[in-house]
Structures are given as structure tokens and as C-alpha cells.
Amino acid sequence: ELFQIWLNLPSREKMTRPRVQLLGPGEVEENINSEVFGDVSSLEIPTVKPSPGITVKVIGGGYGGATSKVQTATDVSLLHV
């Protein structure tokens, strides 16, 4: 499965080269065109358990002491609860 998230960039960065950041384990890296997207590697998804029975995956930004390794042009928090 592949889930794409597109974030609006500040005007000064609109024409920058596209970037791919993969989360979690996978073998997709070898199928990405590195000439277009540069080096691509998988990043681990940090998780937090704020209360019993609740798991939060930190996709972007930070939550509960965990910080995602995803690099963004602006401050953003993206959580999977």
C-alpha cells in the first residue's frame, strides 16, 4: 500500500524538486526514480501510547514526546490514532 500526502509549500519553495519520504518497512525504494526524487529511504514511524488501548502513530511533527523523522517545509503535525 502507498499513501501520498501533499502539503502546500510556502511561495518561496514552490519550484523546489519533489521529494519522496517513505514510512515503515518496505522495498519500494528500488522502484522510485532517484533522478527525479533523489535518494529515497524508509523512515521508522514513532508510536506513543497515551492511555491503555490507544496507540498514536506520529506521521509528521511530534506528539507525546515522539517526533517523526519526516522533513517538512512548514510546521505540521500528522497523527494516526
Side-chain angles (χ1 to χ4, degrees):
E1 293 181 8
L2 181 65
F3 183 70
Q4 293 183 356
I5 300 171
W6 294 82
L7 299 175
N8 193 20
L9 295 174
S11 60
R12 68 182 176 281
E13 301 200 24
K14 293 280 187 192
M15 299 308 291
T16 59
R17 184 173 167 180
R19 183 173 56 190
V20 173
Q21 298 175 81
L22 301 175
L23 298 176
E27 299 175 6
V28 179
E29 298 95 333
E30 62 194 41
N31 297 317
I32 302 290
N33 185 338
S34 61
E35 289 182 21
V36 175
F37 296 106
D39 293 332
V40 176
S41 60
S42 293
L43 303 172
E44 184 178 330
I45 303 172
T47 59
V48 177
K49 297 190 178 211
S51 358
I54 298 175
T55 300
V56 178
K57 294 180 183 179
V58 183
I59 308 298
Y63 175 79
T67 303
S68 173
K69 293 182 181 178
V70 170
Q71 299 173 2
T72 60
T74 59
D75 290 337
V76 63
S77 288
L78 183 58
L79 309 173
H80 178 260
V81 182

